[in-house]
Structure formats: C-alpha cells, structure tokens
C-alpha cells in the first residue's frame, strides 16, 4: 500500500524505518521513531510520509489503519514476517523497551516507489534501529543515496539494546546533515570515538568532524542544546510539566525542529517550538496525541537561555 507525493506546496518529509506497536501497560499504541517523527512533522505543516513494512497479519491491518487515521501518508510494504511490537515498561513515566527481533520492518524492500518519493524529499529522517538487519540496512542506505543535493538528512541515532555498532554509526554520520543525540547516548559515543571533553565539546567535535549543519543534544528533563555551523547555538531549559509518559517525546522534538528549519524559522524559535511540542507530548499517553488548537508556550513560562 502506498501514497505518492503530489505537489511541492508543502515541504516533503520522509521517515525511513520501524513501524510498530508500543505495547504499553495501558494497551497497544502505534509507534516507531521514524513514524513518530513523521506524525509530528506532518502536524506542524509538512507533507509527511513513512516508509516501512508491516506483516500480513491482524496487527499489521490494525496498524496500517492507525497510520491512515493519523493522516500519515506512507509507502508500507506487507510481508510474511510478524508486525513489529515492543514491550514498553514505564517507571515514573520513563520507558524501557524490549524490542522483538526479525519482524516485518527488518525486511523493508528497496522499491521504485520508495526511490521516487525520496527523490522529492526536502528532508529524510533515519536512525540506527531499523538498520539492525541487513535487508533494511541496505534499503535505507541506498535510499539515502537517492536524495537530491540540499536535502536535509536527519540522523536521530536512537540507540536501543545492542542493535548498533561504531561502523554503522560512522556510516550513518557520513550521510547526515543533522545529528540528534541525547545525554546518555553522547556519553556512549564519547567512549566509542575516544573524544575528550564535556558533552558540549563532544557535540561540537561531531559537528566539525562530519561537516554537519546541526548537532542537537537533548538532556531529558534538564535542557536541550543545538550547535550549528559558524558558531550558531541555542539552549532551552526543559519545561516542567506533569508527565504521563515520555514515549515519542524526542521524536516529536525532531519532527518539529526539522519542519521549522525547512520553513526558514530562525534557529532559536525552531528550537523553542520543538521543546514546547515535546513537553506537550509528555503530558499525553503515547507518541501520537491529538494536537490542541495551540500548543502551550511552556518554554516562555519556565525558562529560556
């Protein structure tokens, strides 16, 4: 099943990778980092598309229906593997994940309709998790080679379990123009890449080493920082909200930041908007909450640097 981009009236944002059910204590909810990214970029004005695979099973039927209901356009291939699920365990709203292996999104094929779509894209989002299998890895990296010059390639590293390696991270950084990483992940990469210094110095090392446009460092409930070429910098103190769960909050930040930068929004305002949406997502259950008429301006109320 698929949709094709029809016009360039909106910025086209394409997310590559996992599409799955988050199996929460309260029941299953549609998710997967790329799909979350796509949902929130779409809710903020993008023409958003998800590229993934689902099983030829009831869970796949239900999840494809959820994608359509959410308004996410898509190129979803169905295959004989089970639809992806993740057992999500919450402690004080903070999730940990048990990700089932060898599922449908581990077998995303490389197809002409996917190529046609990414060639139109203004931004493509990807991460390490969907590259844990050779088939999906090869598809995603080949698709990244098809984008036109100037396309934003947004690498949200999203380290999970043992589904990554230094070789994979280097390969994906070489393709990237934007790199998003959290405070726990940057500590892991600091050791992996033998980079001395503070988290901020490590972020700047990656910015220069891989000739990136932006490195985004998020530190959960504390702050987020964006480092850009030419010394551009933005810092936002994470607003304090009543957290239901943080599932999808980082992905919502990414989706909003991406589309705001594509729109030409100044860096600090794009960052602020992303932080506000991420805070709002934390106040709701699941990764795809309904949007209010206007997202509250939590940042202005609680801290901006």
């Amino acid at each position: 099943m698929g949709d094709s981009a029809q016009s360039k009236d909106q910025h086209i944002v394409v997310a590559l990778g996992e599409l799955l059910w988050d199996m929460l204590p309260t029941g299953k909810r549609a998710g997967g980092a790329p799909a979350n990214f796509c949902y929130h970029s779409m809710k903020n004005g993008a023409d958003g598309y998800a590229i993934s695979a689902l099983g030829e099973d009831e869970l796949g039927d239900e999840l494809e229906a959820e994608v359509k209901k959410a308004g996410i356009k898509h190129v979803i291939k169905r295959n004989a593997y089970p639809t992806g699920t993740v057992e999500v365990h919450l402690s004080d709203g903070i999730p940990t994940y048990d990700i089932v292996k060898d599922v449908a999104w581990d077998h995303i094929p490389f197809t002409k309709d996917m190529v046609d779509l990414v060639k139109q894209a203004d931004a493509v989002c990807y991460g390490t998790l969907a590259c844990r299998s050779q088939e999906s890895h090869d598809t995603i990296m080949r698709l990244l080679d098809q984008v036109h010059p100037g396309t934003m390639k947004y690498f949200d590293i999203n380290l999970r379990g043992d589904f990554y390696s230094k070789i994979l991270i280097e390969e994906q950084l070489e393709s990237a123009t934007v790199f998003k990483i959290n405070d726990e992940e940057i500590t892991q990469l600091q050791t992996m890449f033998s980079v001395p210094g503070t988290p901020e110095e490590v972020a700047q090392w990656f910015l220069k080493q891989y000739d990136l446009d932006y490195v985004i460092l998020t530190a959960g409930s504390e702050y987020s920082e964006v480092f850009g070429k030419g010394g551009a910098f933005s810092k936002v103190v994470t607003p304090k909200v009543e957290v239901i769960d943080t599932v999808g909050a980082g992905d919502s930040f990414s989706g909003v930041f991406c589309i705001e930068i594509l729109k030409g929004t100044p860096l600090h305002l794009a960052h602020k908007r992303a932080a506000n949406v991420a805070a709002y997502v934390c106040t709701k259950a699941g990764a795809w909450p309904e949007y209010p008429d206007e997202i509250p301006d939590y940042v202005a109320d609680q801290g901006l640097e």
Side-chain angles (χ1 to χ4, degrees):
M1 187 87 179
D3 296 307
S4 297
Q6 297 297 319
S7 74
K8 291 292 286 185
D9 293 338
Q10 296 172 285
H11 291 288
I12 296 173
V13 173
V14 179
L16 312 175
E18 63 270 21
L19 179 59
L20 50 83
W21 286 109
D22 285 322
M23 310 302 279
L24 293 152
T26 53
K28 68 180 188 289
R29 288 186 178 271
N36 299 343
F37 178 101
C38 190
Y39 176 80
H40 290 284
S41 65
M42 178 267 297
K43 282 293 189 180
N44 287 274
D47 196 9
Y49 293 79
I51 289 179
S52 191
L54 294 172
E56 296 168 341
D57 51 20
E58 186 176 345
L59 284 178
D61 293 342
E62 292 175 354
L63 188 45
E64 187 166 358
E66 283 295 305
V67 168
K68 292 178 180 177
K69 180 181 176 182
I72 300 171
K73 298 177 183 178
H74 54 278
V75 177
I76 292 173
K77 302 302 179 181
R78 306 296 291 267
N79 60 37
Y81 295 87
T83 294
T85 57
V86 176
E87 293 291 337
V88 183
H89 308 282
L90 298 174
S91 177
D92 296 326
I94 308 301
T96 56
Y97 305 92
D98 182 11
I99 306 170
V100 177
K101 298 179 182 179
D102 201 25
V103 294
W105 57 261
D106 287 312
H107 301 276
I108 303 171
F110 182 80
T111 65
K112 183 180 183 300
D113 51 354
M114 294 178 184
V115 173
D116 291 344
L117 180 56
V118 299
K119 282 183 174 179
Q120 299 178 66
D122 298 295
V124 178
C125 170
Y126 61 99
T128 54
L129 181 57
C131 289
R132 67 180 183 175
S133 71
Q134 194 65 48
E135 184 173 358
S136 290
H137 165 274
D138 292 350
T139 292
I140 288 168
M141 300 313 296
R142 288 177 69 189
L143 288 173
L144 288 173
D145 287 340
Q146 299 294 319
V147 304
H148 64 73
T151 297
M152 179 190 293
K153 289 177 281 186
Y154 194 109
F155 176 31
D156 189 345
I157 191 167
N158 197 27
L159 299 182
R160 293 284 183 262
D162 59 355
F163 303 128
Y164 60 90
S165 66
K166 184 179 180 182
I167 291 172
L168 173 61
I169 292 167
E170 288 175 323
E171 179 184 28
Q172 295 192 308
L173 279 167
E174 291 287 353
S175 294
T177 64
V178 179
F179 180 35
K180 178 177 174 289
I181 189 166
N182 67 33
D183 51 340
E184 294 180 359
E185 292 165 338
I186 206 165
T187 299
Q188 292 174 263
L189 264 62
Q190 180 169 19
T191 300
M192 184 183 291
F193 285 81
S194 302
V195 183
T198 64
E200 288 72 22
E201 289 168 336
V202 176
Q204 291 174 343
W205 182 88
F206 279 105
L207 182 75
K208 295 174 183 176
Q209 183 72 17
Y210 291 94
D211 191 28
L212 299 162
D213 292 334
Y214 299 102
V215 172
I216 302 165
L217 172 61
T218 59
S221 62
E222 300 302 317
Y223 64 88
S224 54
E225 296 174 326
V226 183
F227 304 86
K229 281 186 175 179
F233 176 73
S234 176
K235 180 174 182 177
V236 170
V237 175
T238 303
K240 307 304 177 189
V241 295
E242 186 174 339
V243 175
I244 301 299
D245 70 54
T246 63
V247 175
D251 305 324
S252 70
F253 182 108
S254 292
V256 174
F257 183 84
C258 168
I259 186 58
E260 291 297 334
I261 292 296
L262 290 178
K263 290 176 183 176
T265 303
L267 173 61
H268 199 61
L269 293 179
H271 185 187
K272 177 183 172 182
R273 172 69 177 174
N276 274 324
V277 172
Y280 172 75
V281 171
C282 289
T283 70
K284 303 296 179 183
W288 302 358
E290 288 293 324
Y291 269 53
D293 291 338
E294 186 172 345
I295 296 289
D297 193 355
Y298 303 106
V299 170
D301 292 341
Q302 300 184 45
L304 185 64
E305 294 185 8

